Structure formats: structure tokens, C-alpha cells
mmCIF file of all heavy atoms in Angstrom:
data_model
loop_
_atom_site.group_PDB
_atom_site.id
_atom_site.type_symbol
_atom_site.label_atom_id
_atom_site.label_comp_id
_atom_site.label_asym_id
_atom_site.label_seq_id
_atom_site.Cartn_x
_atom_site.Cartn_y
_atom_site.Cartn_z
ATOM 1 N N ALA Q 1 149.673 52.673 29.762
ATOM 2 C CA ALA Q 1 149.961 51.308 29.303
ATOM 3 C C ALA Q 1 151.235 51.312 28.476
ATOM 4 O O ALA Q 1 151.671 52.352 27.991
ATOM 5 C CB ALA Q 1 148.793 50.772 28.477
ATOM 6 N N PRO Q 2 151.834 50.121 28.302
ATOM 7 C CA PRO Q 2 153.028 50.054 27.449
ATOM 8 C C PRO Q 2 152.674 50.424 26.025
ATOM 9 O O PRO Q 2 151.558 50.160 25.551
ATOM 10 C CB PRO Q 2 153.460 48.583 27.554
ATOM 11 C CG PRO Q 2 152.809 48.083 28.792
ATOM 12 C CD PRO Q 2 151.536 48.837 28.925
ATOM 13 N N PRO Q 3 153.586 51.067 25.286
ATOM 14 C CA PRO Q 3 153.301 51.408 23.895
ATOM 15 C C PRO Q 3 153.207 50.166 23.031
ATOM 16 O O PRO Q 3 153.777 49.127 23.346
ATOM 17 C CB PRO Q 3 154.506 52.270 23.488
ATOM 18 C CG PRO Q 3 155.607 51.811 24.392
ATOM 19 C CD PRO Q 3 154.944 51.456 25.694
ATOM 20 N N VAL Q 4 152.487 50.273 21.944
ATOM 21 C CA VAL Q 4 152.324 49.155 21.020
ATOM 22 C C VAL Q 4 153.555 49.081 20.136
ATOM 23 O O VAL Q 4 153.815 49.963 19.328
ATOM 24 C CB VAL Q 4 151.058 49.319 20.157
ATOM 25 C CG1 VAL Q 4 150.945 48.170 19.176
ATOM 26 C CG2 VAL Q 4 149.833 49.388 21.048
ATOM 27 N N THR Q 5 154.344 48.030 20.325
ATOM 28 C CA THR Q 5 155.525 47.802 19.511
ATOM 29 C C THR Q 5 155.296 46.592 18.638
ATOM 30 O O THR Q 5 154.262 45.926 18.728
ATOM 31 C CB THR Q 5 156.762 47.581 20.391
ATOM 32 O OG1 THR Q 5 156.547 46.396 21.163
ATOM 33 C CG2 THR Q 5 156.996 48.761 21.308
ATOM 34 N N GLU Q 6 156.307 46.301 17.804
ATOM 35 C CA GLU Q 6 156.184 45.129 16.932
ATOM 36 C C GLU Q 6 156.056 43.862 17.761
ATOM 37 O O GLU Q 6 155.230 43.003 17.494
ATOM 38 C CB GLU Q 6 157.399 45.044 16.009
ATOM 39 C CG GLU Q 6 157.275 43.956 14.949
ATOM 40 C CD GLU Q 6 158.482 43.927 14.026
ATOM 41 O OE1 GLU Q 6 159.550 44.412 14.429
ATOM 42 O OE2 GLU Q 6 158.331 43.406 12.919
ATOM 43 N N ASP Q 7 156.859 43.774 18.847
ATOM 44 C CA ASP Q 7 156.798 42.583 19.689
ATOM 45 C C ASP Q 7 155.445 42.468 20.369
ATOM 46 O O ASP Q 7 154.860 41.388 20.449
ATOM 47 C CB ASP Q 7 157.908 42.631 20.745
ATOM 48 C CG ASP Q 7 159.268 42.368 20.125
ATOM 49 O OD1 ASP Q 7 159.301 41.906 18.971
ATOM 50 O OD2 ASP Q 7 160.277 42.633 20.806
ATOM 51 N N SER Q 8 154.927 43.618 20.884
ATOM 52 C CA SER Q 8 153.642 43.548 21.584
ATOM 53 C C SER Q 8 152.524 43.209 20.615
ATOM 54 O O SER Q 8 151.536 42.575 20.990
ATOM 55 C CB SER Q 8 153.362 44.881 22.286
ATOM 56 O OG SER Q 8 153.273 45.937 21.348
ATOM 57 N N TYR Q 9 152.660 43.639 19.349
ATOM 58 C CA TYR Q 9 151.652 43.273 18.364
ATOM 59 C C TYR Q 9 151.587 41.763 18.204
ATOM 60 O O TYR Q 9 150.505 41.170 18.215
ATOM 61 C CB TYR Q 9 151.967 43.928 17.024
ATOM 62 C CG TYR Q 9 151.116 43.397 15.877
ATOM 63 C CD1 TYR Q 9 149.795 43.799 15.706
ATOM 64 C CD2 TYR Q 9 151.650 42.462 14.985
ATOM 65 C CE1 TYR Q 9 149.029 43.300 14.670
ATOM 66 C CE2 TYR Q 9 150.888 41.966 13.947
ATOM 67 C CZ TYR Q 9 149.573 42.401 13.794
ATOM 68 O OH TYR Q 9 148.820 41.892 12.776
ATOM 69 N N PHE Q 10 152.755 41.135 18.083
ATOM 70 C CA PHE Q 10 152.766 39.681 17.924
ATOM 71 C C PHE Q 10 152.316 39.000 19.214
ATOM 72 O O PHE Q 10 151.687 37.944 19.170
ATOM 73 C CB PHE Q 10 154.164 39.207 17.510
ATOM 74 C CG PHE Q 10 154.440 39.407 16.051
ATOM 75 C CD1 PHE Q 10 155.111 40.536 15.614
ATOM 76 C CD2 PHE Q 10 154.020 38.493 15.104
ATOM 77 C CE1 PHE Q 10 155.362 40.737 14.273
ATOM 78 C CE2 PHE Q 10 154.265 38.678 13.764
ATOM 79 C CZ PHE Q 10 154.943 39.811 13.335
ATOM 80 N N ASP Q 11 152.644 39.580 20.377
ATOM 81 C CA ASP Q 11 152.149 39.012 21.636
ATOM 82 C C ASP Q 11 150.631 39.069 21.676
ATOM 83 O O ASP Q 11 149.967 38.132 22.129
ATOM 84 C CB ASP Q 11 152.727 39.788 22.830
ATOM 85 C CG ASP Q 11 154.215 39.518 23.005
ATOM 86 O OD1 ASP Q 11 154.675 38.494 22.472
ATOM 87 O OD2 ASP Q 11 154.897 40.322 23.673
ATOM 88 N N GLU Q 12 150.064 40.200 21.179
ATOM 89 C CA GLU Q 12 148.614 40.322 21.164
ATOM 90 C C GLU Q 12 147.991 39.289 20.230
ATOM 91 O O GLU Q 12 146.976 38.668 20.560
ATOM 92 C CB GLU Q 12 148.229 41.737 20.732
ATOM 93 C CG GLU Q 12 146.725 41.977 20.727
ATOM 94 C CD GLU Q 12 146.381 43.384 20.286
ATOM 95 O OE1 GLU Q 12 147.310 44.196 20.124
ATOM 96 O OE2 GLU Q 12 145.181 43.655 20.094
ATOM 97 N N GLN Q 13 148.623 39.093 19.056
ATOM 98 C CA GLN Q 13 148.111 38.095 18.127
ATOM 99 C C GLN Q 13 148.175 36.701 18.735
ATOM 100 O O GLN Q 13 147.261 35.889 18.579
ATOM 101 C CB GLN Q 13 148.914 38.136 16.824
ATOM 102 C CG GLN Q 13 148.716 39.407 16.006
ATOM 103 C CD GLN Q 13 147.255 39.583 15.617
ATOM 104 O OE1 GLN Q 13 146.553 40.426 16.184
ATOM 105 N NE2 GLN Q 13 146.784 38.790 14.676
ATOM 106 N N LYS Q 14 149.256 36.435 19.469
ATOM 107 C CA LYS Q 14 149.389 35.126 20.127
ATOM 108 C C LYS Q 14 148.283 34.937 21.163
ATOM 109 O O LYS Q 14 147.684 33.861 21.273
ATOM 110 C CB LYS Q 14 150.766 35.026 20.772
ATOM 111 C CG LYS Q 14 150.998 33.730 21.523
ATOM 112 C CD LYS Q 14 152.310 33.802 22.267
ATOM 113 C CE LYS Q 14 152.419 32.616 23.217
ATOM 114 N NZ LYS Q 14 153.600 32.717 24.084
ATOM 115 N N LEU Q 15 147.995 36.006 21.934
ATOM 116 C CA LEU Q 15 146.938 35.910 22.944
ATOM 117 C C LEU Q 15 145.574 35.693 22.290
ATOM 118 O O LEU Q 15 144.733 34.954 22.821
ATOM 119 C CB LEU Q 15 146.921 37.187 23.792
ATOM 120 C CG LEU Q 15 148.091 37.359 24.760
ATOM 121 C CD1 LEU Q 15 148.040 38.733 25.423
ATOM 122 C CD2 LEU Q 15 148.082 36.262 25.817
ATOM 123 N N ARG Q 16 145.353 36.343 21.149
ATOM 124 C CA ARG Q 16 144.083 36.129 20.450
ATOM 125 C C ARG Q 16 143.938 34.669 20.021
ATOM 126 O O ARG Q 16 142.852 34.080 20.138
ATOM 127 C CB ARG Q 16 144.003 37.042 19.224
ATOM 128 C CG ARG Q 16 143.857 38.521 19.549
ATOM 129 C CD ARG Q 16 143.771 39.360 18.272
ATOM 130 N NE ARG Q 16 143.735 40.776 18.549
ATOM 131 C CZ ARG Q 16 142.619 41.457 18.830
ATOM 132 N NH1 ARG Q 16 141.460 40.810 18.867
ATOM 133 N NH2 ARG Q 16 142.668 42.747 19.070
ATOM 134 N N MET Q 17 145.042 34.082 19.510
ATOM 135 C CA MET Q 17 144.991 32.682 19.088
ATOM 136 C C MET Q 17 144.740 31.771 20.283
ATOM 137 O O MET Q 17 143.937 30.830 20.215
ATOM 138 C CB MET Q 17 146.294 32.304 18.392
ATOM 139 C CG MET Q 17 146.524 33.022 17.072
ATOM 140 S SD MET Q 17 148.139 32.679 16.348
ATOM 141 C CE MET Q 17 148.005 30.903 16.121
ATOM 142 N N GLU Q 18 145.438 32.043 21.407
ATOM 143 C CA GLU Q 18 145.225 31.225 22.600
ATOM 144 C C GLU Q 18 143.793 31.369 23.105
ATOM 145 O O GLU Q 18 143.188 30.398 23.581
ATOM 146 C CB GLU Q 18 146.222 31.629 23.682
ATOM 147 C CG GLU Q 18 147.666 31.248 23.363
ATOM 148 C CD GLU Q 18 148.612 31.661 24.475
ATOM 149 O OE1 GLU Q 18 148.156 32.368 25.405
ATOM 150 O OE2 GLU Q 18 149.801 31.289 24.393
ATOM 151 N N ASN Q 19 143.239 32.589 23.007
ATOM 152 C CA ASN Q 19 141.872 32.814 23.455
ATOM 153 C C ASN Q 19 140.885 32.003 22.620
ATOM 154 O O ASN Q 19 139.936 31.406 23.142
ATOM 155 C CB ASN Q 19 141.552 34.308 23.371
ATOM 156 C CG ASN Q 19 140.221 34.651 24.031
ATOM 157 O OD1 ASN Q 19 139.858 34.075 25.046
ATOM 158 N ND2 ASN Q 19 139.489 35.582 23.440
ATOM 159 N N ALA Q 20 141.123 31.977 21.293
ATOM 160 C CA ALA Q 20 140.248 31.190 20.422
ATOM 161 C C ALA Q 20 140.338 29.701 20.747
ATOM 162 O O ALA Q 20 139.323 28.989 20.760
ATOM 163 C CB ALA Q 20 140.614 31.439 18.956
ATOM 164 N N GLN Q 21 141.563 29.223 21.043
ATOM 165 C CA GLN Q 21 141.730 27.814 21.403
ATOM 166 C C GLN Q 21 141.001 27.494 22.702
ATOM 167 O O GLN Q 21 140.384 26.439 22.848
ATOM 168 C CB GLN Q 21 143.213 27.477 21.506
ATOM 169 C CG GLN Q 21 143.951 27.524 20.182
ATOM 170 C CD GLN Q 21 145.435 27.307 20.339
ATOM 171 O OE1 GLN Q 21 145.937 27.202 21.452
ATOM 172 N NE2 GLN Q 21 146.152 27.229 19.221
ATOM 173 N N LEU Q 22 141.088 28.425 23.669
ATOM 174 C CA LEU Q 22 140.408 28.196 24.948
ATOM 175 C C LEU Q 22 138.889 28.178 24.777
ATOM 176 O O LEU Q 22 138.185 27.399 25.443
ATOM 177 C CB LEU Q 22 140.820 29.279 25.953
ATOM 178 C CG LEU Q 22 142.261 29.204 26.477
ATOM 179 C CD1 LEU Q 22 142.581 30.423 27.320
ATOM 180 C CD2 LEU Q 22 142.465 27.929 27.285
ATOM 181 N N LYS Q 23 138.383 29.030 23.874
ATOM 182 C CA LYS Q 23 136.939 29.009 23.627
ATOM 183 C C LYS Q 23 136.508 27.681 23.020
ATOM 184 O O LYS Q 23 135.466 27.128 23.381
ATOM 185 C CB LYS Q 23 136.565 30.168 22.698
ATOM 186 C CG LYS Q 23 136.575 31.529 23.389
ATOM 187 C CD LYS Q 23 136.121 32.638 22.440
ATOM 188 C CE LYS Q 23 136.077 33.973 23.145
ATOM 189 N NZ LYS Q 23 135.652 35.071 22.244
ATOM 190 N N GLU Q 24 137.326 27.176 22.079
ATOM 191 C CA GLU Q 24 137.009 25.871 21.499
ATOM 192 C C GLU Q 24 137.050 24.784 22.561
ATOM 193 O O GLU Q 24 136.198 23.885 22.578
ATOM 194 C CB GLU Q 24 137.999 25.547 20.380
ATOM 195 C CG GLU Q 24 137.866 26.451 19.165
ATOM 196 C CD GLU Q 24 138.902 26.125 18.105
ATOM 197 O OE1 GLU Q 24 139.690 25.182 18.331
ATOM 198 O OE2 GLU Q 24 138.915 26.795 17.072
ATOM 199 N N GLU Q 25 138.021 24.860 23.463
ATOM 200 C CA GLU Q 25 138.111 23.876 24.545
ATOM 201 C C GLU Q 25 136.886 23.955 25.445
ATOM 202 O O GLU Q 25 136.323 22.948 25.857
ATOM 203 C CB GLU Q 25 139.388 24.140 25.359
ATOM 204 C CG GLU Q 25 139.596 23.244 26.567
ATOM 205 C CD GLU Q 25 140.097 21.861 26.185
ATOM 206 O OE1 GLU Q 25 140.418 21.649 25.005
ATOM 207 O OE2 GLU Q 25 140.153 21.008 27.083
ATOM 208 N N LEU Q 26 136.447 25.185 25.743
ATOM 209 C CA LEU Q 26 135.268 25.361 26.591
ATOM 210 C C LEU Q 26 134.029 24.787 25.927
ATOM 211 O O LEU Q 26 133.208 24.117 26.569
ATOM 212 C CB LEU Q 26 135.082 26.847 26.902
ATOM 213 C CG LEU Q 26 133.860 27.204 27.764
ATOM 214 C CD1 LEU Q 26 133.938 26.519 29.117
ATOM 215 C CD2 LEU Q 26 133.761 28.711 27.945
ATOM 216 N N ASP Q 27 133.872 25.041 24.616
ATOM 217 C CA ASP Q 27 132.714 24.492 23.905
ATOM 218 C C ASP Q 27 132.738 22.968 23.912
ATOM 219 O O ASP Q 27 131.696 22.315 24.071
ATOM 220 C CB ASP Q 27 132.702 24.997 22.461
ATOM 221 C CG ASP Q 27 132.432 26.496 22.380
ATOM 222 O OD1 ASP Q 27 131.910 27.054 23.367
ATOM 223 O OD2 ASP Q 27 132.770 27.103 21.338
#
């Protein structure tokens, strides 16, 4: 897998936020 860089860390945080929003939308 790609190494964890500063950019990928923020991308992961962004995906977590989007995932939480999608869960709220689903509920």
C-alpha cells in the first residue's frame, strides 16, 4: 500500500468525516 504521509493522513481524516456524514444521511 502507499506509505502514510501527511497528505494521506488528511485524506484519511476527510474520508472519515465523509463516512460519518453518509451514516447520518442513511439514518
Side-chain angles (χ1 to χ4, degrees):
V4 178
T5 63
E6 187 178 22
D7 287 346
S8 62
Y9 169 77
F10 281 96
D11 289 340
E12 182 180 353
Q13 292 300 105
K14 178 187 170 187
L15 288 174
R16 291 181 184 275
M17 294 174 61
E18 291 180 352
N19 189 37
Q21 292 175 355
L22 289 173
K23 285 183 178 179
E24 293 178 1
E25 177 77 8
L26 179 60
D27 292 341

